[in-house]
Amino acid sequence: MSSHDKYQSHGDSHSSAKAPDEGAYIFLFFLIGFALSMVVGWGVFPTLLYSKKHQPFDFNHKQHLQIVDNGCQSCHFFRTDGSFSGSPRLAQCVGCHNEMQGQSESEKAFFEQYVVQGREVPWLVYSRQPDCVFFSHAAHIHGAKLDCVTCHGHMAASENLKSYEQNRITGYSRDLWGRNISGLKHNSWDRMKMDDCAECHARYQVVHDSSVQTGRDACFVCHK
Amino acid sequence: MKQTQIHNEQPPRRYGMAIDVDKCTGCGSCMVACFSENNVPFKQDETDKLLSITWMRVYQLTNGKTFPHTEVAYLPRPCQHCAGQHEGHSPCVSVCPATATDYSADTGIVSQIYTRCFGCRYCMGACPYHARYFNWWDPVWPDGMEKYLSPNVSPRMRGVVEKCSFCFHRYQMARDKAYTEGGRKVQEAEYQTACAQACPAGAIVFGDLNDPSHAVNQIVKPDAHNHYKSGNPRAFRLLERLGTNTKVYYLSSREWVRRSGDNYRADEQPGMPGAAAQHG
């Protein structure tokens, strides 16, 4: 008997003996593979896709809203030309922060690195849209009379600034496409993609059929 | 005709231009103003004009006669924002496979969304006015010049087509102001293109062709029932017989200038009314 034969017969007996289990193994491997791909697709990939950044220092909306005179407008206001000031500049802070107000670490960082040196704070803007998008706060606040919560969530009640997550491929903020990878949206502020803007515009019976191509808003309503 | 429902104002806006060729001195201020207003890229070597990007371009016309009968005229050419035979049937919009270019029934402006464009250049082939340009390279700005770019106009990248937008961002900003002041209408002076403002001869007049209080309407006297043909005997449009129904009107008292707007037969009158009816 050659070694080759021996090997073959051994192999035969092996396969015939285990045959009933093979299907189960295949199924098991399929399950493991499926579970792994789910873990990778729903867990690992989104974590890898976004890099986390921190704001230059923390800021407490709730606390400040108790002491400013004019609510949100003390820091986020409309200029006379109708444009929106957006993230605050030092000028909105130094009225009070020309000297230290408390002992917190974040105020110290703010005071020493920015106020004393007269540098503007490089805020990371969670809601920042791609460069080609035109957004108008005037249209939504003065025109549609929407409140900030509809699009930004409960910022006023927040005591901390959350970390900023940036998509490694596009460079855009995670708040545009949202956190929920199944694509479900529970709150109006969960994400702000093109379709989310369009969906709300369609709900209001204004500005929504000027495009000859799409029958919705013309591209040049929201783009520049 | 499609009409948008914004504030139920009737009729919709129709932004357009009247350019007086007899006033134009060919100085090129409009081109320069357009470059800087719209972040138009340029190269160190601009000798090959086929590769230059000029949203606004001044052409020189001559009557072809010998001295002393030679006459010259200058013709600034922005995008003509064609409406076509039925509103929105612009040559470029109808061929774009990507929906990157669109016609707004609310302003009459033909838009170009650069991020959507994938550079097939059908629109460039379709445009009878050479108003569209392709970015063969990523823009390179001289050191420090990025800081002077306008944040209101999105810069382009390699591989996309761009063209004049009638300074649409200025309309967006004017709308912002109008919203802040109770949602009133945008006034004529609030929305003007950079070229119109830069022209030292006042040859370019810009405004809403549908609004009788706007100068451009008074000059052009467009006939809304006949493809916005001008009622001004001095006025003509470029290649009017194609039926592109453009929103840029040219004015001249010289017949040879008016004739140069199209390839007329010797016995034809420039800007024959209704000549476009055979198309589309």
Side-chain angles (χ1 to χ4, degrees):
Chain A
M1 218 195 230
S2 69
S3 59
H4 179 71
D5 286 346
K6 214 161 124 193
Y7 173 76
Q8 222 174 18
S9 65
H10 179 75
D12 282 346
S13 67
H14 177 84
S15 66
S16 58
K18 299 280 184 205
D21 294 346
E22 214 163 65
Y25 272 126
I26 291 174
F27 186 64
L28 188 68
F29 277 122
F30 171 75
L31 267 190
I32 293 175
F34 185 72
L36 269 181
S37 65
M38 292 307 262
V39 170
V40 171
W42 290 69
V44 180
F45 180 68
T47 333
L48 286 181
L49 184 59
Y50 291 96
S51 66
K52 273 202 170 115
K53 287 186 181 174
H54 293 282
Q55 294 279 8
F57 52 86
D58 202 9
F59 177 82
N60 186 334
H61 265 91
K62 199 174 168 193
Q63 191 184 40
H64 278 90
L65 280 165
Q66 284 160 3
I67 41 182
V68 294
D69 307 326
N70 214 0
C72 315
Q73 279 151 45
S74 316
C75 298
H76 312 292
F77 54 92
F78 285 97
R79 304 190 189 93
T80 44
D81 68 355
S83 60
F84 186 65
S85 70
S87 299
R89 298 175 64 83
L90 271 189
Q92 277 88 63
C93 318
V94 289
C96 301
H97 284 280
N98 48 8
E99 51 192 37
M100 285 286 286
Q101 302 289 313
Q103 282 96 40
S104 68
E105 277 302 307
S106 54
E107 196 195 347
K108 203 160 152 233
F110 172 49
F111 190 73
E112 285 171 3
Q113 291 170 35
Y114 300 97
V115 179
V116 173
Q117 302 182 22
R119 281 169 58 208
E120 286 299 338
V121 185
W123 296 113
L124 300 164
V125 178
Y126 307 107
S127 51
R128 171 73 72 245
Q129 292 284 350
D131 186 62
C132 64
V133 174
F134 169 79
F135 180 79
S136 155
H137 274 92
H140 297 92
I141 306 299
H142 298 307
K145 309 259 182 286
L146 292 169
D147 56 7
C148 317
V149 177
T150 316
C151 303
H152 291 289
H154 297 285
M155 199 60 166
S158 71
E159 299 188 357
N160 302 97
L161 292 175
K162 62 183 180 187
S163 55
Y164 174 90
E165 292 177 59
Q166 188 181 34
N167 186 313
R168 288 183 210 266
I169 299 172
T170 63
Y172 300 145
S173 161
R174 188 168 191 172
D175 287 31
L176 296 192
W177 283 66
R179 257 142 246 281
N180 190 328
I181 34 171
S182 65
L184 294 175
K185 187 168 145 182
H186 303 293
N187 306 306
S188 57
W189 58 84
D190 280 353
R191 53 165 202 249
M192 202 50 80
K193 294 195 292 179
M194 182 147 88
D195 285 350
D196 300 291
C197 314
E199 185 192 73
C200 180
H201 285 188
R203 257 202 326 272
Y204 287 77
Q205 288 302 304
V206 277
V207 280
H208 71 86
D209 68 347
S210 52
S211 165
V212 164
Q213 289 267 52
T214 63
R216 301 214 245 163
D217 286 314
C219 310
F220 256 7
V221 171
C222 313
H223 285 279
K224 62 184 187 201
Chain B
M1 181 162 76
K2 218 178 163 80
Q3 288 194 342
T4 193
Q5 300 162 339
I6 292 191
H7 309 304
N8 298 315
E9 281 165 16
Q10 307 281 339
R13 283 149 284 250
R14 186 183 186 85
Y15 285 103
M17 247 177 214
I19 303 180
D20 197 323
V21 180
D22 294 349
K23 284 188 187 162
C24 177
T25 63
C27 72
S29 297
C30 53
M31 291 178 67
V32 176
C34 177
F35 263 87
S36 58
E37 177 74 19
N38 291 297
N39 302 337
V40 178
F42 51 86
K43 305 181 297 297
Q44 196 148 32
D45 176 6
E46 287 283 0
T47 46
D48 186 348
K49 297 292 182 240
L50 283 175
L51 301 178
S52 298
I53 297 181
T54 41
W55 288 16
M56 174 59 125
R57 175 143 179 203
V58 179
Y59 287 91
Q60 190 189 51
L61 313 174
T62 113
N63 63 352
K65 295 203 174 131
T66 49
F67 181 79
H69 306 290
T70 316
E71 273 185 47
V72 171
Y74 296 96
L75 186 127
R77 192 257 27 230
C79 168
Q80 309 283 308
H81 294 273
C82 310
Q85 293 295 287
H86 45 92
E87 297 299 279
H89 198 93
S90 328
C92 52
V93 172
S94 16
V95 299
C96 179
T99 329
T101 181
D102 188 14
Y103 184 91
S104 166
D106 175 42
T107 55
I109 291 177
V110 177
S111 62
Q112 178 77 13
I113 310 298
Y114 317 115
T115 43
R116 180 75 188 173
C117 173
F118 53 70
C120 74
R121 286 165 281 153
Y122 273 11
C123 57
M124 291 173 67
C127 176
Y129 304 104
H130 293 284
R132 292 177 157 271
Y133 295 90
F134 187 65
N135 282 275
W136 290 96
W137 299 275
D138 272 323
V140 180
W141 309 104
D143 261 354
M145 198 184 149
E146 313 88 64
K147 300 210 170 74
Y148 293 87
L149 296 182
S150 164
N152 303 316
V153 181
S154 188
R156 281 71 63 184
M157 59 303 258
R158 182 182 59 194
V160 305
V161 171
E162 61 180 79
K163 67 160 193 79
C164 152
S165 66
F166 270 173
C167 288
F168 185 71
H169 56 288
R170 291 184 169 205
Y171 179 69
Q172 290 175 320
M173 293 192 290
R175 288 277 297 174
D176 265 8
K177 183 149 199 268
Y179 267 120
T180 310
E181 291 165 12
R184 58 170 176 79
K185 270 179 77 170
V186 169
Q187 255 123 58
E188 186 179 12
E190 288 178 317
Y191 174 34
Q192 286 295 321
T193 60
C195 53
Q197 288 183 329
C199 179
I204 305 179
V205 176
F206 179 79
D208 181 356
L209 290 163
N210 276 346
D211 188 333
S213 71
H214 284 212
V216 72
N217 173 285
Q218 292 154 14
I219 295 171
V220 171
K221 304 186 187 68
D223 178 0
H225 303 293
N226 187 17
H227 302 303
Y228 291 86
K229 255 193 127 45
S230 174
N232 184 336
R234 289 183 69 228
F236 65 101
R237 291 189 278 182
L238 297 183
L239 305 179
E240 190 148 14
R241 292 178 305 174
L242 288 181
T244 41
N245 193 359
T246 61
K247 296 192 195 69
V248 179
Y249 296 78
Y250 292 90
L251 304 161
S252 179
S253 306
R254 293 175 281 180
E255 195 187 330
W256 73 266
V257 174
R258 291 201 300 274
R259 290 188 78 83
S260 63
D262 206 337
N263 305 306
Y264 294 106
R265 287 191 310 271
D267 59 335
E268 249 177 325
Q269 279 305 304
M272 282 193 319
Q278 57 196 292
H279 292 271

